[in-house]
Amino acid sequence: MLILASQSPRRRELMAREGLEFQVIVRDTEELHDATMAPEALCAANAAEKAAAVAAEYPQATVIGADTLVFIDGTPLGKPADEAEALAMLSKLQGRTHCVCTAVAVFMPGGERRDFAVKSYVTFRPLTREQMLHYMSLVHVYDKAGAYAVQEHGELIIEKVEGDLDNVIGLPVRTLVQVLAR
């Protein structure tokens, strides 16, 4: 049995697109937002926490936990709490390149674990306040790290993506498939 320990509809879509058969089971966990940690370490800790919470109940399953954060100037940007925070995040990102890091923790039956992290780089267009507000009117930004989604009107705000686009969406699924095949 394969379990995705994530509520993210984007992760579900990416896994389904690859033909993976899985169930979604999520447990509440406390996410870290420690700016003193390296991007890979911070995301890895959150991904492992999500997977461990489900794996404890389903030890015979393969459980996948993932965490994606946007990093600018070494500061992690999670999901904004409100419009003001979303606008502040987009303001920090506009006209600049930032890192998107996704860490994945795969808990296997018998206690084996396979973890990995992928980083991609996204460059935003220079944006006016009006352009940011227009983008926010089109996209539900509150459930997205950094207050944006590359796959939802990304052409309005994003100049280029370097690296794995699926990673920016929320799950480096081709790397995951390779890890699962091993």
Side-chain angles (χ1 to χ4, degrees), residues 43-172:
C43 292
N46 288 332
E49 185 71 22
K50 294 173 187 180
V54 175
E57 293 179 45
Y58 298 90
Q60 297 308 312
T62 298
V63 179
I64 300 163
D67 187 56
T68 302
L69 288 172
V70 168
F71 291 84
I72 187 84
D73 299 328
T75 302
L77 302 181
K79 299 170 187 171
D82 54 32
E83 182 178 314
E85 190 174 13
L87 187 59
M89 287 181 182
L90 292 175
S91 295
K92 281 183 190 176
L93 299 173
Q94 69 87 22
R96 301 181 62 201
T97 299
H98 62 274
C99 173
V100 177
C101 181
T102 301
V104 179
V106 182
F107 284 55
M108 312 287 283
E112 183 183 349
R113 223 174 112 177
R114 298 177 186 162
D115 300 347
F116 64 93
V118 174
K119 293 196 301 190
S120 300
Y121 296 88
V122 178
T123 302
F124 266 39
R125 301 177 186 284
L127 301 168
T128 65
R129 176 181 169 83
E130 291 74 27
Q131 288 170 317
M132 289 181 268
L133 290 170
H134 174 66
Y135 177 77
M136 291 169 54
S137 75
L138 297 173
V139 177
H140 182 72
V141 298
Y142 305 117
D143 68 339
K144 295 165 180 69
Y148 77 93
V150 68
Q151 73 279 12
E152 293 180 47
H153 302 287
E155 71 281 358
L156 297 176
I157 60 171
I158 295 172
E159 186 174 299
K160 69 178 177 177
V161 175
E162 297 172 76
D164 186 342
L165 180 63
D166 289 343
N167 179 57
V168 179
I169 294 171
L171 185 67

